[in-house]
Amino acid sequence: MDPKTSAHLDTFAREHLPPPDQWPELLFELPELHYPVRLNCAAELLDRTIDRFGADRPAFRTPDGGVWSYGELRDRVDRIARVLTTDLGVVPGNRVLLRGPTTPHLAACWLAVLKAGAIAVTVLAQQRPAELATICSIARVGHALCDVRTVDDLVAAEVPGLRITVYGGGGPDDLLSLAGARPGPYRAVDTAADDVALIAFTSGTTGRPKGCMHFHRDVLAVADTFSRHVLRPTPEDVFTGSPPLGFTFGLGGLVIFPLRAGASALLLERSGPTQLLPALAAHHVSVLFTAPTAYRLMLDHVDEHDLRALRRCVSAGENLPVATWRSWYERTGLRIINGIGATELLHIFVSAADDAIRPGTTGIPVPGWRARVQDREGRPVPDGESGLLAVRGPVGCRYLADGRQRDYVAHGWNITGDTYVRDADGYFRYVARADDMIISSGYNIAGPEVEDALLRHPSVAEAAVVGRADEVRGHVVVAYVVLREGADVSADALRTFMKGELAPHKCPRVIEFLPALPRTATGKLQRFRLRDA
């Protein structure tokens, strides 16, 4: 990027981008991806959407029936942006941490930070003080806007120099009280399209978290590729889902995509499977974003709720088992849109919808993206052979001052760390995370394939498969199983079932039952904890 075009007075983020020779090749093949040099994505998502559709349309909905119109949302965003710059001294380029449950206030804070030209660092409400301290240290965070209900852990993080402003507390120094005294429109800072807009942190479940820097144009690019061409929302759609806004799957599905389309989003503080189904029915939700596990768990009660308004179901975050896809389709008539995305690339880049869906595959490259399967030296492998998934498109990995940039980007491609097979017809089929392959007696065994077979048993609610070191075989296949409520099946019975589903070398030699599988706050399975056990 050209520093002369940047609006950032605080140049930390720009100075800590990877060297240009470590960036992936970017593609802007679609005409809608040709953005102007000056671009503020918050103004595009809010002000320009109001220009197209009007200010009276609903933007955000709450579980108690509350509705924020686009005009009301803009008023609140502008007031918060004015507080940031006038009362708190935030300047363009400062990093502002955002923390709280999924509410319209959190989304408004995110838009306000970007409109003010600052950089949003949205974290999970479940993260603990040590995790928060690490993130603040890596990103040099100086300001935080925090829901008063989640402020204690942030205070306990004892981040040097961090100025915390709470919202929802009602005091005179509360963000919402300060915003009440700052009326009037706020003109968005004239940021450059390639100014950093947000830093999204990976979960850090296996090491130091990585900060992924994304530009203002990146925010619009994921809406103008996956959402526009695969999801195809309308202004009448009502979005909802379970991923939090600190997870880019949720940020896209609950804020970026609906606002870009002039639609509305139901923001849920509690969004587990038992809360999702009644919310879908009560608020006539038409677009749902959640993880494969939630679809699986909702199956037991899906017939109890009116889901006639639902027309789009999106799954990402982990592999979607074909058994879950088929069961959901049989019960609802809805075809789950499977997809793979990454924090490094902001959102989904391989997917398929409607008649293009092929159960058991992730899909094809989203328009605007390219993908291939290659070996560890970067050479493409023939169709039908497994290898590493490599992608490129309008968004690329840019870690914040992290040497692991060289691991993720090679020869102009983003290497996602997933093992895939490309079928002869161009569809990409997930095999495993590259580090989740199990080698037993010389056989390569993909844990997700074994998990999918286990899930075909009617008593199994969840399954996770890992390798355990073995002196004779190198590793043996170990399955951890969560049974459905009220189910009673033995390990021997499951082994017998599996012998009818898979080749003998793939069948688990050990089956252990757990009340729940270890997952991150965003719902991703933590296989490393099972391996360590």
Side-chain angles (χ1 to χ4, degrees), residues 185-354:
Y186 180 90
R187 182 176 179 180
V189 171
D190 189 25
T191 46
D194 56 2
D195 273 333
V196 176
L198 64 97
I199 302 174
F201 276 84
T202 58
S203 59
T205 55
T206 58
R208 184 175 173 84
K210 300 181 287 286
C212 307
M213 296 192 280
H214 294 299
F215 297 162
H216 280 265
R217 60 173 156 82
D218 297 343
V219 173
L220 301 184
V222 294
D224 294 340
T225 53
F226 171 74
S227 183
R228 176 172 178 167
H229 291 279
V230 179
L231 191 60
R232 295 194 293 276
T234 74
E236 307 307 317
D237 275 319
V238 179
F239 287 64
T240 200
S242 62
L245 303 189
F247 187 24
T248 56
F249 181 40
L251 180 65
L254 302 179
V255 177
I256 298 170
F257 298 164
L259 293 185
R260 188 65 164 163
S264 65
L266 170 67
L267 300 184
L268 300 170
E269 293 190 33
R270 296 177 178 83
S271 56
T274 56
Q275 290 91 18
L276 271 179
L277 282 172
L280 296 175
H283 297 273
H284 307 290
V285 169
S286 55
V287 181
L288 172 62
F289 280 71
T290 193
T293 301
Y295 287 109
R296 176 83 178 174
L297 295 178
M298 286 191 290
L299 283 169
D300 288 341
H301 303 285
V302 73
D303 295 335
E304 302 166 16
H305 301 275
D306 182 357
L307 304 184
R308 285 178 293 180
L310 192 60
R311 70 180 192 88
R312 288 294 202 213
C313 300
V314 181
S315 173
E318 59 185 357
N319 180 54
L320 174 66
V322 66
T324 300
W325 192 97
R326 294 192 185 281
S327 295
W328 185 262
Y329 180 68
E330 290 167 1
R331 299 290 290 278
T332 68
L334 296 166
R335 302 176 180 183
I336 298 176
I337 298 173
N338 193 13
I340 180 174
T343 306
E344 288 84 354
L345 303 177
L346 197 54
H347 219 274
I348 291 172
F349 43 78
V350 173
S351 186
D354 303 318

Side-chain angles (χ1 to χ4, degrees), residues 444-461:
N444 288 336
I445 302 167
E449 181 185 8
V450 184
E451 293 165 2
D452 195 27
L454 280 164
L455 289 171
R456 290 196 283 271
H457 192 285
S459 295
V460 176

Side-chain angles (χ1 to χ4, degrees), residues 23-189:
W23 288 24
E25 179 183 338
L26 299 177
L27 305 177
F28 303 101
E29 298 175 331
L30 301 178
E32 53 267 33
L33 298 175
H34 296 167
Y35 302 110
V37 173
R38 315 303 304 182
L39 181 73
N40 185 298
C41 65
E44 290 294 322
L45 292 174
L46 195 49
D47 298 87
R48 300 293 82 77
T49 299
I50 289 175
D51 291 343
R52 293 197 305 273
F53 299 105
D56 295 333
R57 298 186 58 79
F60 291 140
R61 304 170 185 268
T62 58
D64 61 2
V67 176
W68 290 20
S69 71
Y70 272 86
E72 291 167 335
L73 174 60
R74 178 166 63 179
D75 178 65
R76 289 178 167 95
V77 167
D78 286 357
R79 287 172 180 267
I80 296 170
R82 195 172 296 282
V83 170
L84 288 169
T85 55
T86 303
D87 296 274
L88 304 182
V90 172
V91 302
N94 282 169
R95 277 74 58 212
V96 181
L97 183 135
L98 305 175
R99 174 177 164 87
T102 303
T103 65
H105 288 298
L106 180 63
C109 287
W110 184 82
L111 290 162
V113 168
L114 271 59
K115 204 168 188 182
I119 299 172
V121 183
T122 310
V123 297
L124 303 176
Q126 298 90 341
Q127 284 174 312
R128 302 277 74 90
E131 298 170 300
L132 296 171
T134 299
I135 289 171
C136 288
S137 174
I138 293 171
R140 306 276 181 87
V141 174
H143 298 270
L145 306 181
C146 184
D147 189 303
V148 69
R149 296 169 293 175
T150 64
V151 74
D152 289 347
D153 280 341
L154 186 56
V155 172
E158 298 182 338
V159 178
L162 180 65
R163 181 171 182 176
I164 303 172
T165 305
V166 301
Y167 59 86
D173 294 330
D174 188 274
L175 177 66
L176 304 184
S177 298
L178 295 173
R182 294 294 182 186
Y186 180 90
R187 182 176 179 180
V189 171

